Amino acid sequence: MEKKIRVLIAKPGLDGHDRGAKVVARALRDAGMEVIYTGLHQTAEMIVETAVQEDVNVIGLSLLSGAHMTLFNDVTKLLKEKGMSDVLVLGGGIIPEEDAPALKKVGVCGIFGPGTPCEDIVDFIKKNVKK
Amino acid sequence: MFEEKELEKIKQKKDEWEKTCYLKLVKENHELKDKFENLSSIDIKNLYTPNDISHLDYINDMNFPGEFPFLRGVHATMYRGRLWTMRQFSGFGSAEETNQRYKYLLAHGETGLSVAFDYPTLYGYDTDHPLARGEFGKCGVAISSLKDMEILFSGIPVDKISTSMTINGPAAIVWGFYIANAENRNINRRNIGGTIQNDILKEYIAQKSFIFPPEPSMRLIVDTFEFGFKEVPRWNTISISGYHIREAGSTAIQELAFTLGDGLEYVRWAVKRGLKIDDFAPRLSFFFNAHNDFFEEIAKYRAARRIWAKELKKLGAKKPRSLIMRFHTQTAGCSLTAQQPEINITRVTIQALAAILGGTQSLHTNSMDEALALPSEKAVRIALRTQQIIAEESGVTNTIDPLGGSYYIEWLTDIMEEETYKYFDRVEKLGGVIPAIEKGFFQREIAEAAYKYQKEIDENKRAIIGVNKYKVDEPIEIPILKMDEKGEERQINRLKKLRKERDKSKFEKNLNRLRKAAEGEENLMPYILDCVHSYATLGETCGILREVFGEYKEPAIY
Amino acid sequence: MSDLTSRILKGDPRSVAKLITAAENNSKELADEMKIIYKHGGNAYVIGVTGVMGSGKSTLIYELAKEYRKQGKKIGIIAIDPTSPFTGGALLGDRIRMTELVMDDGVFIRSMGTRGMLGGLASAVFDAVEILDASGKDVVIVETVGVGQAEVDVIKIADTTMVVLVPGLGDSIQTIKAGIMEISGIFVVNKADRPDVEQLVAELESLIDISCIGKDRKIPIVKTIAKKNLGIIDLVNEIEKHKDYLIKTKNFEIQRKKRYEAELVEIIRKRLMNFIFDESMFKEKVEKLIDKISKKELDPYSAADEILSKIIK
């Protein structure tokens, strides 16, 4: 029985643009992963609680509204408090390059902005996920 | 349109040409692609001739600008009489900052205003609502009350310039703010012109900033139609949109079919209410995307006009103004790249040109930095100049519908129309637009198209310059628009002050009256205006409607 | 008793989730933990929910869970979606309909891929039910993949199986083939505000009349409009009635026996397959045999004899 990589794709905050989240979800499924999609309007608490119940290895946060500095940090902070820092946290959407270092510092391991080939995301996960 | 014998001769000669010199070259050097497909997966031929459009009757199928079926343009003079409105969608931070940006754009030649709101506002929440955390002013301006609207338009002549507001769920309330602000400045509501997007169907399908379920949302929209034609006659009470459907990943044909389908649904609901089609139809407007495939986009706009005119005629509209499809266009946001951002200027130019050759009434051109940020002043100025260069330097406005009669364009226009009607049939078989939404039909079509597109890019079957072809290894340096950090605090303080200083009993009475009216069947606009005038906030007013109408939850479609 | 198990018995969601993952991955530590878990199970009432895509199963389950919560019951929900046979991946999207239950600590929701299991269930679902049971859940709802003639395994695990139908989905009645009539404890006609609802109910009733001749219970039909929260209390009552019926007629024990038999079969199957195909020692030998078969040097039956002779003395 092989272990599957379980990924949570979440949309924090009010942003309703889900094209990318859905495309990435399908790409990860096509790469053999089990993908749980939370739907829209998730708070950090909801995302982390879902991650707990689904025992995911990866959380992908999708945000295009510009609120990533606040909301991504909310998620990683909560994960840390719950002792879940072994979950790989990735971010995607409209995230300016200059915000990437600050996000990495709070625990977002990879930022995948516009133009990222889906393969890059798959490879990154396979390389960095803690099984 | 062409003589039978001529057509025969041309067909013969084309066959000869294809079998001889064309084939010869193909055998020597293969064509660059096996299949030449456009973005809607339509096979595009090597050459088009009169035979491809031989079925067309000039008078019945094309006719003249300003005349049914309006294929060649909605007005008799088009750009020779009046250019399209240059209307740059903008907004960020607090009302003060956006007010400055509007003045900048007007000074640089913009001819109409277009308001972008932040997410809390789009969802009907005040800036200090818990769900507004981190979202203030990030993707648009925060408007929580009439006070904010006053600041937003301070020093701007709203009686002389039209304003388009991209707002859907709480559109009626925000429209209320705009009307009330004008009236407070002694401008009669009959003299203000503009548009509210107010298109909830496409929210369920694509943009997802819905609040209430379909039925009460449609009721509110028809309320605005009714109020509009009676009280605010120069206002377009809806902008039936395809832009967002396209941005969510649909093809051009889907954009066309789903948008027009939505439009016809609105007409049906209004007629069901008892409104006369010729009363409200003249104030329905549309909003399309201008994507990369140049000729497909042009064909799309032309097909849209013809289909709309035909369908409205079928539905019983008699006034010529009712049959005319007027539309605003925005160049495709989803086509912009973060890599080598300057080349987005080129993309936008081509897209803008398509919209203009397609006969748009109003146009927004994206700025080069918008793949990663809200536009800087310099970038938005270049975007505006793009329109101005096309208008003044390129000569394309010298004649109306310059591509009319092109064998390719007319052929493609027909195909787009044909495919649209096929979608109309499918939706009808599903029970209509709203049942189809609940079954997830549109959402699934869009998700499929989006996935297919991305796969083509990932597999290098579709080139995106700078992303999977001609890449340059350089850091992505886009100056990020800096917003006033004190803006959010200022806004929250303003809200606190407003809540303290308003006439409490009047405010409460008006909210209660709104609640009662929402539970019944009256037109809600007058009640909303009363709430607005008594300085009820967006969140408070919308909250009443949330209570009565409930909130919509979407089906899970990939 | 390990730390993990004692936390599970206290209802800690993180531990519950981890053990379910171990069950899905058939990890080595699983057996020891499960031996203790099973001792504490058997209390939760298991409801299986099956029905075609678009029948509103997830919304129905959400409303049902909400109703049970009002009664103070703790709920476990297992939502199963198909694993792609080509890629091995899965899109698990049923949770989306249950977003509002996420922050309720009396509800635990787990999405599972079928991971190659046919029949509509996931291989680890038996373990997951036992784990949720042991963690204190009063009701465990299992939402299976679609419904067709092949996806009827849900009866192996559920005490009450409900089949959800929707008027106007074209071939709703076509899905009422042999098997579905046998498995159904309750028929739910959801989206009952749709135009053809009476027709569907009438067709169902005549089918039920025929298939329930001579039986002491007629399968009830409950009409619901899940998204408007209508008919849910009726459904809860019918489930309760079914439970009473099962206990009174001793069918409850008979069904539970079938469930434990299925669990046992699944554990043995997994162990055998694991041993034969995954354990590295044996794996090479098996690969060599498969190679011979493909070269027509050996047939599969003889290969099976060789493998099994090592296990069955």
Side-chain angles (χ1 to χ4, degrees), chain A residues 69-116:
Chain A
M69 292 305 287
T70 312
L71 299 181
F72 285 13
N73 187 25
D74 283 353
V75 173
T76 52
K77 190 156 155 247
L78 198 50
L79 286 171
K80 205 160 162 199
E81 282 170 19
K82 290 200 163 225
M84 288 169 67
S85 296
D86 56 344
V87 176
L88 187 66
V89 179
L90 309 178
I94 303 289
I95 299 165
E97 196 93 337
E98 63 182 47
D99 288 345
L103 287 172
K104 291 218 168 89
K105 219 160 146 206
V106 300
V108 183
C109 308
I111 310 281
F112 300 95
T116 307

Side-chain angles (χ1 to χ4, degrees), chain C residues 16-74:
Chain C
V16 168
K18 290 264 175 231
L19 193 57
I20 294 179
T21 303
E24 287 199 289
N25 295 332
N26 203 32
S27 65
K28 294 200 176 71
E29 315 80 51
L30 180 70
D32 289 328
E33 306 282 357
M34 290 309 291
K35 283 174 184 167
I36 317 220
I37 294 288
Y38 275 122
K39 289 206 188 99
H40 295 265
N43 307 307
Y45 194 74
V46 184
I47 301 172
V49 182
T50 191
V52 295
M53 192 174 84
S55 55
K57 292 192 299 286
S58 300
T59 310
L60 192 67
I61 290 172
Y62 164 68
E63 292 293 335
L64 196 57
K66 264 183 13 193
E67 193 55 45
Y68 279 130
R69 289 299 292 140
K70 280 194 207 149
Q71 298 177 3
K73 295 208 164 88
K74 298 216 182 91

Side-chain angles (χ1 to χ4, degrees), chain A residues 1, chain C residues 268-279:
Chain A
M1 307 286 138
Chain C
I268 294 174
R269 183 191 75 82
K270 269 193 289 201
R271 279 222 188 136
L272 262 178
M273 300 306 262
N274 206 38
F275 182 68
I276 296 171
F277 290 98
D278 293 345
E279 296 285 298

Side-chain angles (χ1 to χ4, degrees), chain C residues 197-259:
Chain C
V197 65
E198 290 312 321
Q199 189 186 347
L200 177 61
V201 171
E203 285 179 48
L204 261 177
E205 276 172 347
S206 45
L207 276 167
I208 289 171
D209 283 339
I210 298 171
S211 77
C212 291
I213 291 175
K215 303 227 175 97
D216 52 358
R217 176 180 180 267
K218 214 166 90 156
I219 304 173
I221 301 172
V222 180
K223 288 197 274 197
T224 59
I225 306 174
K227 71 173 186 210
K228 291 194 182 146
N229 192 7
L230 292 172
I232 306 299
I233 297 181
D234 290 338
L235 183 56
V236 167
N237 289 338
E238 283 299 337
I239 295 171
E240 202 55 35
K241 274 200 229 154
H242 189 227
K243 181 176 176 183
D244 289 339
Y245 161 79
L246 288 173
I247 294 175
K248 216 167 39 180
T249 58
K250 309 278 189 227
N251 274 308
F252 186 79
E253 279 135 43
I254 298 174
Q255 268 181 209
R256 280 286 170 103
K257 271 201 188 147
K258 289 201 183 128
R259 168 175 147 197

Side-chain angles (χ1 to χ4, degrees), chain B residues 146-377:
Chain B
L146 177 55
K147 262 256 153 349
D148 298 331
M149 193 61 90
E150 287 163 12
I151 298 170
L152 185 63
F153 289 99
S154 140
I156 293 174
V158 297
D159 51 344
K160 300 211 177 64
I161 196 161
S162 64
T163 303
S164 171
M165 297 193 283
T166 297
I167 187 95
N168 293 280
I173 302 168
V174 174
W175 189 33
F177 288 153
Y178 192 87
I179 297 171
N181 180 44
E183 293 185 323
N184 285 350
R185 287 162 63 170
N186 285 318
I187 298 169
N188 193 307
R189 57 172 71 155
R190 306 192 75 79
N191 292 333
I192 52 172
T195 306
I196 36 173
Q197 196 166 85
N198 200 25
D199 168 11
I200 205 66
L201 292 176
K202 69 100 170 48
E203 295 303 322
Y204 299 124
I205 291 171
Q207 191 169 232
K208 313 290 174 83
S209 49
F210 43 73
I211 305 178
F212 324 111
E215 273 201 43
S217 302
M218 295 297 273
R219 176 264 182 99
L220 253 182
I221 290 171
V222 179
D223 281 356
T224 58
F225 288 1
E226 200 177 33
F227 190 79
F229 105 79
K230 285 192 185 139
E231 300 282 323
V232 199
R234 289 183 57 217
W235 197 273
N236 302 310
T237 41
I238 193 169
S239 178
I240 302 156
S241 307
Y243 178 81
H244 320 81
I245 293 172
R246 195 65 187 275
E247 291 292 295
S250 83
T251 62
I253 288 173
Q254 289 165 344
E255 180 194 344
L256 180 59
F258 299 171
T259 309
L260 295 183
D262 287 348
L264 293 172
E265 188 68 12
Y266 289 118
V267 172
R268 273 180 225 118
W269 277 71
V271 166
K272 214 167 42 176
R273 170 88 73 92
L275 301 187
K276 286 206 269 215
I277 200 171
D278 282 316
D279 282 341
F280 66 86
R283 278 297 170 195
L284 303 173
S285 68
F286 286 79
F287 174 24
F288 289 111
N289 196 303
H291 208 283
N292 285 330
D293 192 315
F294 185 67
F295 293 113
E296 182 177 47
E297 297 301 288
I298 296 168
K300 178 184 81 187
Y301 307 124
R302 298 170 90 250
R305 275 196 296 272
R306 187 164 62 191
I307 298 170
W308 186 252
K310 286 205 270 200
E311 290 304 306
L312 275 255
K313 203 173 201 193
K314 276 192 220 162
L315 287 173
K318 302 258 173 1
K319 282 208 298 221
R321 276 229 81 195
S322 302
L323 306 174
I324 287 172
M325 164 190 274
R326 297 164 302 120
F327 64 97
H328 168 78
T329 310
Q330 175 166 339
T331 60
C334 61
S335 69
L336 301 175
T337 57
Q339 296 78 2
Q340 301 176 53
E342 298 81 2
I343 65 181
N344 288 322
I345 298 173
T346 314
R347 293 189 174 102
V348 169
T349 309
I350 296 171
Q351 294 160 356
L353 189 57
I356 291 159
L357 291 175
T360 192
Q361 277 57 62
S362 160
L363 180 62
H364 162 104
T365 34
N366 287 332
S367 304
M368 64 173 158
D369 49 6
E370 289 199 74
L372 282 179
L374 294 184
S376 62
E377 270 188 358

